[in-house]
């Protein structure tokens, strides 16, 4: 049985002190959640978050991982480093990484492989730009990104992957995709996965929606048959707001 997964992507927010406070506030509010609850915090907050979530149902995530096990890659972090800090999930290929830091389908694929080979679970992000949507290219773009990210990954690898569909124009803009649009695009993603891995594997894959998801729209989005969770930016930075999404 697959379980919905709501993950907070804190992006570049929260110091150690703030991390401690936010998790302390959040834990009691989400303790009865039916879904899996994850917080993806900045690297520097991982150890603090690891301590703060002890004894709770909150799981720990990071926001990127390098493809090499170690070496001369200034500014990067390896899967083993994350594992040591008890990280379970890692976001890969977020549109902000693709837009501002040159992340490509190939680098997303390499990072994803490294993550799952090391025993981490990957939250792989895909999503179209506004121009692409307006040009009617949404399906083409997300299918290309999905195929690229999953290249060379077998069925057992797929089990360690969650896909997050985040239309770029909906991120941080307050403009959410309609529940129907999100559902339709996620169905397209699932169809692409079915082509690669078959029906059962595609059905078992969890696909999240992300992009201005919040306390107000979470239940409508989560009610859609194809949507298995959410990747939450802004609304994950306040305990009360994030808890409302988790308890949709
Ligand atoms: P917002 O929820 O702030 O739109 O961000 C979504 C996102 O990018 C999550 O990864």
């Amino acid at each position: 049985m697959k379980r919905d997964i709501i993950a907070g992507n804190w992006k570049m927010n929260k110091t150690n002190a703030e991390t401690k406070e936010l998790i302390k506030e959040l834990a009691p509010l989400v303790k009865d959640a039916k879904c899996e609850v994850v917080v993806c915090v900045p690297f520097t907050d991982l150890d603090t978050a690891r301590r703060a979530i002890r004894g709770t149902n909150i799981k720990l995530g990071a926001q990127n991982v390098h493809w090499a096990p170690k070496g001369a890659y200034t500014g990067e972090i390896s899967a083993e480093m994350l594992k040591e800090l008890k990280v379970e999930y890692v976001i890969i290929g977020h549109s902000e990484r693709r837009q501002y830091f040159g992340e490509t389908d190939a680098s997303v694929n390499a990072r994803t492989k490294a993550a799952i080979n090391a025993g981490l679970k990957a939250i792989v992000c895909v999503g179209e730009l506004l121009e692409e949507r307006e040009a009617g290219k949404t399906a083409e773009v997300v299918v290309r990104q999905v195929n690229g990210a999953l290249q060379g990954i077998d069925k057992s690898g797929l089990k360690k992957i969650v896909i997050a569909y985040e239309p770029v124009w909906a991120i941080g803009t307050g403009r959410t995709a309609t529940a129907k649009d999100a559902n339709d695009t996620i169905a397209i993603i699932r169809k692409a996965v079915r082509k690669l891995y078959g029906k059962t594997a595609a059905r078992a894959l969890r696909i999240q929606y992300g992009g201005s998801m919040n306390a107000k729209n979470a239940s409508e989005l989560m009610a859609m048959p194809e949507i298995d969770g959410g990747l939450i930016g802004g609304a994950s930075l306040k305990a009360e707001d994030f808890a409302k999404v988790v308890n949709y």
Side-chain angles (χ1 to χ4, degrees), residues 153-191:
I153 293 171
D154 64 9
K155 250 188 211 177
S156 72
L158 185 73
K159 288 192 180 138
K160 298 183 200 151
I161 292 175
V162 174
I163 291 181
Y165 167 57
E166 301 203 306
V168 178
W169 48 270
I171 295 177
T173 57
R175 199 177 149 189
T176 328
T178 64
K180 189 186 173 310
D181 279 351
N183 192 70
D184 287 352
T185 307
I186 290 179
I188 291 167
I189 292 170
R190 203 179 298 283
K191 200 167 142 197

Side-chain angles (χ1 to χ4, degrees), residues 7-11 91 94-96 123 125 164 166-168 170-175 209-214 230-237:
N9 174 8
W10 289 10
K11 308 191 180 183
I91 297 173
H94 190 278
S95 65
E96 285 147 20
I123 299 177
C125 303
E166 301 203 306
V168 178
I171 295 177
T173 57
R175 199 177 149 189
Y209 168 77
S212 300
M213 191 162 163
N214 56 39
L231 188 54
I232 322 300
S236 72
L237 298 175

Side-chain angles (χ1 to χ4, degrees), residues 11 93-104 108 127-132 145 166-171 173:
K11 308 191 180 183
H94 190 278
S95 65
E96 285 147 20
R97 300 289 322 166
R98 294 180 192 254
Q99 264 185 298
Y100 310 135
F101 303 98
E103 208 75 70
T104 63
V108 170
E128 81 286 1
L129 304 168
L130 184 58
E131 305 91 271
E132 293 166 334
Q145 290 173 334
E166 301 203 306
V168 178
W169 48 270
I171 295 177
T173 57

Side-chain angles (χ1 to χ4, degrees), residues 61-182:
Q63 298 173 16
N64 200 5
V65 64
H66 196 260
W67 53 80
K70 61 165 82 168
Y73 299 102
T74 303
E76 292 283 326
I77 300 283
S78 77
E80 199 185 324
M81 293 167 183
L82 298 180
K83 290 281 292 178
E84 192 179 47
L85 291 172
K86 307 287 181 237
V87 170
E88 196 173 329
Y89 283 92
V90 59
I91 297 173
I92 296 172
H94 190 278
S95 65
E96 285 147 20
R97 300 289 322 166
R98 294 180 192 254
Q99 264 185 298
Y100 310 135
F101 303 98
E103 208 75 70
T104 63
D105 289 341
S107 66
V108 170
N109 176 242
R111 292 182 198 275
T112 303
K113 282 182 184 155
I116 62 177
N117 289 340
L120 293 164
K121 294 174 192 151
I123 299 177
V124 178
C125 303
V126 300
E128 81 286 1
L129 304 168
L130 184 58
E131 305 91 271
E132 293 166 334
R133 164 151 293 240
E134 283 171 347
K137 289 194 174 146
T138 299
E140 185 189 314
V141 169
V142 296
V143 169
R144 189 204 74 222
Q145 290 173 334
V146 167
N147 287 334
L150 298 178
Q151 191 116 49
I153 293 171
D154 64 9
K155 250 188 211 177
S156 72
L158 185 73
K159 288 192 180 138
K160 298 183 200 151
I161 292 175
V162 174
I163 291 181
Y165 167 57
E166 301 203 306
V168 178
W169 48 270
I171 295 177
T173 57
R175 199 177 149 189
T176 328
T178 64
K180 189 186 173 310
D181 279 351

